[in-house]
Amino acid sequence: MSTLLIQDAARRGRSTEPPTPAPDPLAARRFLSILASPLEGCVELRVLRGTFDRRGDVQRADRLGTGFAGSTLAGWYDDLDRLAAQSSRLLSVSGYVTINPVRSDLLARSDNRLSRVRHTTRDEDVAVLRWLYLDVDPARPPDVSSTETELLAAVARRDAVLNGQPELAASAMWGKSGNGAWILVRLPDYPNDARHRGLIAETVRALAREYNDDKVVIDVATVNPARLIGLPGTIKAKGSPRHDRPWRLATLDGHGPGAG
């Protein structure tokens, strides 16, 4: 084979995208069984820049061509089996869920199904403050997936927090977001008021001061009641997938005895 042909083959090989992981609805259901127990109100499932294809699966709009305009899709679920089943239809798009219980009134907006929406869950729609969210993210350029080295650095920092805070770990669940790591700490269903929002914000800031450096940070913006988390069992589809920065599934990796 000539040098030019070898170089062309190499270029084509480099441009080939890695395979997109298949959704794992059983993983989604395991996570939801902890997140929403006891079930109070409902859970919002949200997709950004999504569209339905001809089979009814959900794709990131730009994956279907330049003529497709993406929409915000959302549904409010008090049937967690249906939510998990819907997550299996998210094929090239990220799926997110609210971490705290949402008041049941919002079921009337899109009842146990995904649809195009104008409004999503607001902070004042949250019934109680059930979880404190630590989003552990590696430093990297915006809008790209992480490398394996960056992901492992975030997981190591997550584990350092869990090992260094045993009381926190006992009431937490944890996993990988696809590009970084996360911890959700179970709270005693605090009222959604200014005092308890402030307690959560200060706790996250204190942990960030202790564990952040120039390689990995705990995001201090994840403290609002209507915060979303990537749903384990669905992919994190950030940027374009490459072999060095692939799309990965979000995962639930473990939980303490007090998490659920």
Side-chain angles (χ1 to χ4, degrees):
M1 182 181 291
S2 72
T3 301
L4 288 177
L5 287 175
I6 292 172
Q7 291 174 342
D8 182 60
R11 282 194 298 270
R12 285 187 280 108
R14 285 196 301 268
S15 66
T16 301
E17 291 184 352
T20 299
D24 184 351
L26 293 179
R29 188 63 181 87
R30 286 194 297 272
F31 172 77
L32 292 167
S33 71
I34 301 174
L35 182 83
S37 178
L39 184 62
E40 178 173 339
C42 59
V43 179
E44 182 195 342
L45 171 65
R46 192 182 307 172
V47 172
L48 305 176
R49 300 193 304 275
T51 192
F52 294 97
D53 65 18
R54 287 177 292 183
R55 296 181 298 274
D57 294 325
V58 183
Q59 308 275 359
R60 206 173 79 178
D62 61 0
R63 305 289 287 179
L64 299 182
T66 56
F68 289 86
S71 303
T72 297
L73 311 177
W76 285 263
Y77 294 79
D78 60 1
D79 183 335
L80 301 182
D81 291 328
R82 288 187 67 176
L83 198 167
Q86 181 71 72
S87 76
S88 70
R89 314 289 305 260
L90 309 183
L91 299 189
S92 65
V93 71
S94 303
Y96 302 88
V97 291
T98 45
I99 63 170
N100 290 312
V102 178
R103 61 180 186 164
S104 297
D105 305 36
L106 270 62
L107 288 164
R109 186 174 287 162
S110 188
D111 189 355
N112 284 280
R113 65 184 181 88
L114 270 182
S115 60
R116 295 178 179 86
V117 298
R118 293 178 57 195
H119 304 286
T120 55
T121 301
R122 304 167 300 172
D123 288 342
E124 54 265 40
D125 297 323
V126 168
V128 295
L129 305 178
R130 178 167 290 177
W131 296 98
L132 180 150
Y133 178 25
L134 299 176
D135 182 17
V136 187
D137 218 22
R140 65 191 190 281
D143 299 323
V144 300
S145 298
S146 64
T147 65
E148 191 67 15
T149 299
E150 291 165 345
L151 175 61
L152 290 175
V155 171
R157 191 65 48 84
R158 177 202 71 189
D159 293 346
V161 175
L162 293 169
N163 292 330
Q165 309 288 333
E167 291 185 2
L168 177 151
S171 58
M173 58 173 164
W174 54 87
K176 293 185 285 293
S177 64
N179 296 313
W182 58 267
I183 301 170
L184 284 175
V185 183
R186 184 66 158 88
L187 304 172
D189 281 2
Y190 288 142
N192 182 9
D193 58 23
R195 174 173 172 265
H196 289 93
R197 293 186 197 187
L199 288 173
I200 291 168
E202 180 50 40
T203 301
V204 173
R205 287 195 294 265
L207 289 166
R209 287 193 294 269
E210 182 173 354
Y211 290 98
N212 284 8
D213 60 22
D214 61 345
K215 299 296 184 183
V216 179
V217 298
I218 294 173
D219 186 354
V220 297
T222 63
V223 297
N224 64 299
R227 179 60 54 171
L228 303 170
I229 190 171
L231 176 61
T234 66
I235 64 169
K236 184 60 70 70
K238 183 164 284 190
S240 296
R242 292 172 48 89
H243 287 282
D244 59 336
R245 295 184 179 273
W247 290 351
R248 305 177 182 91
L249 287 179
T251 63
L252 169 64
D253 296 343
H255 62 86

